[in-house]
Amino acid sequence: MIESYEFSIRALVEYNELWVFLADVLGIDRSQIVDESTFWDFAESGQGKVVGLEVCHSNLGFRTLCKWRQTWNLRDIEPFQLASYASVKFNSEVAIGNFIDLQDGSADQFIVITPAKQFYRAYAVINADVFDTSSVDDELYDVEMLVKHQGRSDS
């Protein structure tokens, strides 16, 4: 099974920094993280856990897009937790798709996590060249409370 994940970081973060970060938080050896083009060869050979990492940069807005494919599935809350860890590690806001309010089916809704371990709901500011968000309201929520709540509902 191939799964895809992504988050955007407001700061400029280099490929090598994200490579080390993902290996650490996913609990795998760094040799198991390869570039996107090499990933398919490893994935098709059935060599266990492999991650194909792609990092894109922009001059404005959320400056780093971290996208990866992997050969195993993360639990529903885990991508949010990874984004929260990235926010603290890189001292920057991190945007991830809004998995809390999925009922309306909008792909332009996000959760933006702050380095203070808080998050707010946001929507995408539509611009073909730049990804940025705008807050839905002025509410800030606690990351740890959401993780605890989701952990109880996943059991």
Side-chain angles (χ1 to χ4, degrees):
M1 172 184 342
I2 306 296
E3 297 293 330
S4 298
Y5 302 97
E6 68 181 55
F7 56 75
S8 295
I9 306 169
R10 190 169 294 282
L12 183 66
V13 180
E14 296 300 329
Y15 181 96
N16 284 344
E17 294 174 276
L18 286 163
W19 174 66
V20 169
F21 169 78
L22 277 179
D24 290 348
V25 297
L26 292 173
I28 60 174
D29 189 86
R30 292 176 187 166
S31 66
Q32 293 171 275
I33 298 183
V34 297
D35 63 50
E36 179 71 15
S37 61
T38 307
F39 170 77
W40 294 106
D41 294 334
F42 279 96
E44 291 172 1
S45 69
Q47 294 186 25
K49 290 184 174 182
V50 180
V51 172
L53 176 61
E54 179 181 358
V55 176
C56 304
H57 293 113
S58 171
N59 291 326
L60 300 169
F62 282 81
R63 299 183 62 200
T64 305
L65 172 61
C66 177
K67 300 185 338 181
W68 73 97
R69 297 180 197 280
Q70 61 187 52
T71 55
W72 74 99
N73 191 19
L74 296 176
R75 291 181 304 119
D76 289 344
I77 193 68
E78 288 178 308
F80 175 77
Q81 288 174 301
L82 289 175
S84 177
Y85 300 151
S87 179
V88 172
K89 169 76 176 170
F90 302 116
N91 194 31
S92 180
E93 288 187 337
V94 174
I96 188 167
N98 185 343
F99 66 96
I100 299 170
D101 305 315
L102 292 177
Q103 58 269 20
D104 76 353
S106 174
D108 292 331
Q109 292 189 17
F110 296 88
I111 293 173
V112 179
I113 306 163
T114 73
K117 297 184 180 181
Q118 296 181 311
F119 70 92
Y120 59 91
R121 289 174 169 91
Y123 59 90
V125 176
I126 306 300
N127 181 327
D129 298 326
V130 176
F131 170 68
D132 211 337
T133 62
S134 181
S135 178
V136 170
D137 54 33
D138 291 330
E139 293 287 327
L140 280 173
Y141 303 92
D142 183 66
V143 166
E144 296 302 321
M145 292 300 289
L146 178 64
V147 170
K148 286 179 187 174
H149 174 74
Q150 285 294 120
R152 284 193 301 271
S153 65
D154 286 347
S155 354

